[in-house]
Amino acid sequence: MSVTDLPRRYPSEWGRATDHPFLRAVRAGTLPAPAFLAWLGQDYHFVADLLRFQARLLARAPRRAQAVLAGGAVALVDELAWFEQHAAARGLDLRVSRSPATEAYAGLLDRLDRAEAPVALSMLWALERVYLDAWSSAAPGAGGYREFVEHWTTPEFAAYVAALADAADDLIAEVGGVPDVDRYFVEVVDAETAFWDAAWTGATA
């Protein structure tokens, strides 16, 4: 089994997370700017949560998986700085309160932090892959959103996601499979959908 098989096993869940009305509005240029900024503030919180999760996973992962995890952690540090730069340019206060969807996603990361390393690494791949596919569905992005879509769909990001899949597959093969992968995968994809739903509800309110 490869973790890359998981989206094909759950096409409905994957489709809801990667072809969301929020993303279609980004592609069409019809998403109100305040709604995008509100989503950006929540995603900043999520990236900070993800960095903490990934740093802990790096510390407990098998040696051969550490290089890709370390590279990803450094990229997340840079990503937070990138968010801060764009927030400052747009007058966005990143100290905004967390939404319930953001808190729920953080809770899922906490549970994954207690899962075995093959499961945690597989789900790190899943959340990065769903993010990549989601923004790819919004490409090329209209107007002021194009820069963001391009940032989250670079070949470098795609290569990182592929490297995570290889590392996860290696660990799963070593332990002979992990039964929790499917359950956690659906949780990750549902959490991503809920994150888009929260942003879209704000956009249409």
Side-chain angles (χ1 to χ4, degrees), residues 3 118 121-122 125 163-173:
V3 291
L121 181 54
S122 297
W125 166 82
L164 285 175
D166 290 341
D169 286 349
D170 285 347
L171 292 190
I172 290 174

Side-chain angles (χ1 to χ4, degrees), residues 151-175:
H151 178 75
W152 291 313
T153 57
T154 63
E156 292 80 10
F157 182 41
Y160 167 63
V161 173
L164 285 175
D166 290 341
D169 286 349
D170 285 347
L171 292 190
I172 290 174
E174 182 179 282
V175 300

Side-chain angles (χ1 to χ4, degrees), residues 17 20 22-23 39 131 134-135 192-201:
H20 194 276
F22 183 95
L23 297 160
W39 171 85
Y131 198 78
W135 283 109
E192 192 71 19
T193 301
F195 206 85
W196 296 126
D197 285 346
W200 183 240
T201 299

